[in-house]
mmCIF file of all heavy atoms in Angstrom:
data_model
loop_
_atom_site.group_PDB
_atom_site.id
_atom_site.type_symbol
_atom_site.label_atom_id
_atom_site.label_comp_id
_atom_site.label_asym_id
_atom_site.label_seq_id
_atom_site.Cartn_x
_atom_site.Cartn_y
_atom_site.Cartn_z
ATOM 1 N N PHE H 778 -6.023 6.384 -6.092
ATOM 2 C CA PHE H 778 -5.844 7.730 -6.219
ATOM 3 C C PHE H 778 -5.092 8.124 -7.488
ATOM 4 O O PHE H 778 -4.431 7.242 -8.109
ATOM 5 C CB PHE H 778 -5.103 8.395 -4.972
ATOM 6 C CG PHE H 778 -3.657 7.949 -4.807
ATOM 7 C CD1 PHE H 778 -2.643 8.557 -5.636
ATOM 8 C CD2 PHE H 778 -3.226 6.982 -3.986
ATOM 9 C CE1 PHE H 778 -1.265 8.225 -5.430
ATOM 10 C CE2 PHE H 778 -1.928 6.534 -3.821
ATOM 11 C CZ PHE H 778 -1.005 7.241 -4.520
ATOM 12 N N VAL H 779 -5.156 9.381 -7.925
ATOM 13 C CA VAL H 779 -4.498 9.798 -9.040
ATOM 14 C C VAL H 779 -4.018 11.260 -8.850
ATOM 15 O O VAL H 779 -4.714 12.068 -8.248
ATOM 16 C CB VAL H 779 -5.419 9.815 -10.392
ATOM 17 C CG1 VAL H 779 -6.681 10.714 -10.141
ATOM 18 C CG2 VAL H 779 -4.713 10.207 -11.578
ATOM 19 N N ILE H 780 -2.738 11.460 -9.228
ATOM 20 C CA ILE H 780 -2.165 12.813 -9.100
ATOM 21 C C ILE H 780 -2.249 13.446 -10.487
ATOM 22 O O ILE H 780 -1.659 12.963 -11.424
ATOM 23 C CB ILE H 780 -0.680 12.681 -8.612
ATOM 24 C CG1 ILE H 780 -0.691 12.089 -7.177
ATOM 25 C CG2 ILE H 780 -0.021 14.006 -8.615
ATOM 26 C CD1 ILE H 780 0.683 11.750 -6.577
ATOM 27 N N THR H 781 -2.958 14.544 -10.562
ATOM 28 C CA THR H 781 -3.344 15.064 -11.902
ATOM 29 C C THR H 781 -2.562 16.317 -12.315
ATOM 30 O O THR H 781 -2.805 16.848 -13.409
ATOM 31 C CB THR H 781 -4.853 15.436 -11.867
ATOM 32 O OG1 THR H 781 -5.153 16.365 -10.780
ATOM 33 C CG2 THR H 781 -5.685 14.166 -11.683
ATOM 34 N N GLY H 782 -1.641 16.803 -11.543
ATOM 35 C CA GLY H 782 -0.832 18.006 -11.951
ATOM 36 C C GLY H 782 -1.879 19.121 -12.120
ATOM 37 O O GLY H 782 -2.780 19.289 -11.303
ATOM 38 N N ASP H 783 -1.710 19.874 -13.196
ATOM 39 C CA ASP H 783 -2.648 20.961 -13.439
ATOM 40 C C ASP H 783 -3.665 20.749 -14.478
ATOM 41 O O ASP H 783 -4.229 21.616 -15.089
ATOM 42 C CB ASP H 783 -1.831 22.267 -13.807
ATOM 43 C CG ASP H 783 -1.192 22.945 -12.682
ATOM 44 O OD1 ASP H 783 -1.251 22.371 -11.557
ATOM 45 O OD2 ASP H 783 -0.495 23.958 -12.924
ATOM 46 N N ALA H 784 -3.973 19.428 -14.712
ATOM 47 C CA ALA H 784 -5.026 19.060 -15.674
ATOM 48 C C ALA H 784 -6.411 19.285 -15.001
ATOM 49 O O ALA H 784 -7.299 19.962 -15.576
ATOM 50 C CB ALA H 784 -4.865 17.652 -16.177
ATOM 51 N N LEU H 785 -6.607 18.670 -13.878
ATOM 52 C CA LEU H 785 -7.967 18.626 -13.192
ATOM 53 C C LEU H 785 -7.820 19.092 -11.697
ATOM 54 O O LEU H 785 -6.971 18.621 -11.015
ATOM 55 C CB LEU H 785 -8.484 17.190 -13.247
ATOM 56 C CG LEU H 785 -9.893 16.990 -12.612
ATOM 57 C CD1 LEU H 785 -10.920 17.822 -13.334
ATOM 58 C CD2 LEU H 785 -10.256 15.571 -12.612
ATOM 59 N N PHE H 786 -8.710 20.052 -11.357
ATOM 60 C CA PHE H 786 -8.816 20.554 -10.025
ATOM 61 C C PHE H 786 -10.195 20.301 -9.466
ATOM 62 O O PHE H 786 -11.113 19.955 -10.218
ATOM 63 C CB PHE H 786 -8.540 22.054 -10.019
ATOM 64 C CG PHE H 786 -7.222 22.380 -10.567
ATOM 65 C CD1 PHE H 786 -7.192 23.189 -11.767
ATOM 66 C CD2 PHE H 786 -5.986 22.181 -9.948
ATOM 67 C CE1 PHE H 786 -5.928 23.547 -12.301
ATOM 68 C CE2 PHE H 786 -4.803 22.546 -10.482
ATOM 69 C CZ PHE H 786 -4.773 23.280 -11.653
ATOM 70 N N GLN H 787 -10.424 20.591 -8.197
ATOM 71 C CA GLN H 787 -11.726 20.583 -7.655
ATOM 72 C C GLN H 787 -12.536 21.722 -8.303
ATOM 73 O O GLN H 787 -12.182 22.933 -8.088
ATOM 74 C CB GLN H 787 -11.746 20.773 -6.101
ATOM 75 C CG GLN H 787 -13.091 20.748 -5.508
ATOM 76 C CD GLN H 787 -13.033 21.019 -4.019
ATOM 77 O OE1 GLN H 787 -13.268 22.089 -3.582
ATOM 78 N NE2 GLN H 787 -12.627 20.014 -3.203
ATOM 79 N N GLY H 788 -13.488 21.409 -9.031
ATOM 80 C CA GLY H 788 -14.319 22.398 -9.599
ATOM 81 C C GLY H 788 -13.746 23.232 -10.781
ATOM 82 O O GLY H 788 -14.359 24.120 -11.275
ATOM 83 N N SER H 789 -12.643 22.753 -11.264
ATOM 84 C CA SER H 789 -12.003 23.508 -12.362
ATOM 85 C C SER H 789 -11.088 22.617 -13.120
ATOM 86 O O SER H 789 -10.887 21.405 -12.860
ATOM 87 C CB SER H 789 -11.231 24.721 -11.788
ATOM 88 O OG SER H 789 -10.757 25.563 -12.847
ATOM 89 N N VAL H 790 -10.435 23.246 -14.154
ATOM 90 C CA VAL H 790 -9.403 22.533 -14.966
ATOM 91 C C VAL H 790 -8.245 23.508 -15.253
ATOM 92 O O VAL H 790 -8.350 24.650 -14.840
ATOM 93 C CB VAL H 790 -9.954 22.045 -16.338
ATOM 94 C CG1 VAL H 790 -11.115 21.021 -16.090
ATOM 95 C CG2 VAL H 790 -10.422 23.158 -17.197
ATOM 96 N N GLY H 791 -7.199 23.002 -15.794
ATOM 97 C CA GLY H 791 -5.991 23.793 -15.969
ATOM 98 C C GLY H 791 -6.162 24.901 -17.044
ATOM 99 O O GLY H 791 -6.928 24.754 -17.940
ATOM 100 N N ARG H 792 -5.495 25.975 -16.839
ATOM 101 C CA ARG H 792 -5.449 27.101 -17.797
ATOM 102 C C ARG H 792 -4.814 26.553 -19.105
ATOM 103 O O ARG H 792 -3.926 25.723 -19.029
ATOM 104 C CB ARG H 792 -4.724 28.278 -17.277
ATOM 105 C CG ARG H 792 -3.284 28.108 -16.924
ATOM 106 C CD ARG H 792 -2.674 29.312 -16.292
ATOM 107 N NE ARG H 792 -2.578 30.467 -17.133
ATOM 108 C CZ ARG H 792 -2.022 31.658 -16.823
ATOM 109 N NH1 ARG H 792 -1.603 31.808 -15.610
ATOM 110 N NH2 ARG H 792 -1.996 32.675 -17.627
ATOM 111 N N THR H 793 -5.192 27.182 -20.258
ATOM 112 C CA THR H 793 -4.680 26.755 -21.539
ATOM 113 C C THR H 793 -4.090 27.882 -22.316
ATOM 114 O O THR H 793 -3.942 27.758 -23.593
ATOM 115 C CB THR H 793 -5.798 25.995 -22.306
ATOM 116 O OG1 THR H 793 -6.855 26.956 -22.507
ATOM 117 C CG2 THR H 793 -6.265 24.854 -21.532
ATOM 118 N N ASP H 794 -3.801 29.031 -21.718
ATOM 119 C CA ASP H 794 -3.317 30.221 -22.435
ATOM 120 C C ASP H 794 -1.781 30.309 -22.346
ATOM 121 O O ASP H 794 -1.254 31.388 -22.740
ATOM 122 C CB ASP H 794 -3.992 31.423 -21.902
ATOM 123 C CG ASP H 794 -3.725 31.655 -20.422
ATOM 124 O OD1 ASP H 794 -3.427 30.734 -19.662
ATOM 125 O OD2 ASP H 794 -3.813 32.831 -19.970
ATOM 126 N N LEU H 795 -1.096 29.288 -21.863
ATOM 127 C CA LEU H 795 0.329 29.334 -21.867
ATOM 128 C C LEU H 795 0.892 28.542 -23.045
ATOM 129 O O LEU H 795 0.134 27.805 -23.690
ATOM 130 C CB LEU H 795 0.841 28.629 -20.568
ATOM 131 C CG LEU H 795 0.512 29.413 -19.240
ATOM 132 C CD1 LEU H 795 0.801 28.601 -18.067
ATOM 133 C CD2 LEU H 795 1.087 30.774 -19.199
ATOM 134 N N PRO H 796 2.208 28.708 -23.383
ATOM 135 C CA PRO H 796 2.678 28.006 -24.597
ATOM 136 C C PRO H 796 2.406 26.529 -24.584
ATOM 137 O O PRO H 796 2.684 25.864 -23.628
ATOM 138 C CB PRO H 796 4.224 28.288 -24.490
ATOM 139 C CG PRO H 796 4.335 29.552 -23.738
ATOM 140 C CD PRO H 796 3.161 29.550 -22.732
ATOM 141 N N GLY H 797 1.900 26.110 -25.711
ATOM 142 C CA GLY H 797 1.535 24.648 -25.900
ATOM 143 C C GLY H 797 0.162 24.282 -25.362
ATOM 144 O O GLY H 797 -0.240 23.119 -25.487
ATOM 145 N N GLY H 798 -0.597 25.222 -24.759
ATOM 146 C CA GLY H 798 -1.895 24.875 -24.221
ATOM 147 C C GLY H 798 -2.869 24.768 -25.281
ATOM 148 O O GLY H 798 -2.865 25.369 -26.413
ATOM 149 N N ASN H 799 -3.998 23.987 -24.983
ATOM 150 C CA ASN H 799 -5.042 23.726 -25.984
ATOM 151 C C ASN H 799 -6.232 23.339 -25.194
ATOM 152 O O ASN H 799 -6.268 22.251 -24.707
ATOM 153 C CB ASN H 799 -4.584 22.623 -27.010
ATOM 154 C CG ASN H 799 -5.606 22.416 -28.066
ATOM 155 O OD1 ASN H 799 -6.769 22.203 -27.878
ATOM 156 N ND2 ASN H 799 -5.253 22.601 -29.352
ATOM 157 N N GLY H 800 -7.281 24.160 -25.173
ATOM 158 C CA GLY H 800 -8.428 23.896 -24.426
ATOM 159 C C GLY H 800 -9.302 22.702 -24.850
ATOM 160 O O GLY H 800 -9.733 21.922 -24.025
ATOM 161 N N THR H 801 -9.488 22.592 -26.194
ATOM 162 C CA THR H 801 -10.235 21.497 -26.598
ATOM 163 C C THR H 801 -9.502 20.191 -26.340
ATOM 164 O O THR H 801 -10.175 19.146 -25.918
ATOM 165 C CB THR H 801 -10.377 21.623 -28.113
ATOM 166 O OG1 THR H 801 -11.112 22.782 -28.464
ATOM 167 C CG2 THR H 801 -11.195 20.414 -28.660
#
Side-chain angles (χ1 to χ4, degrees):
F778 69 79
V779 61
I780 296 171
T781 58
D783 284 359
L785 180 63
F786 304 110
Q787 184 185 97
S789 189
V790 298
R792 63 187 293 182
T793 58
D794 59 337
L795 297 172
N799 184 304
T801 300

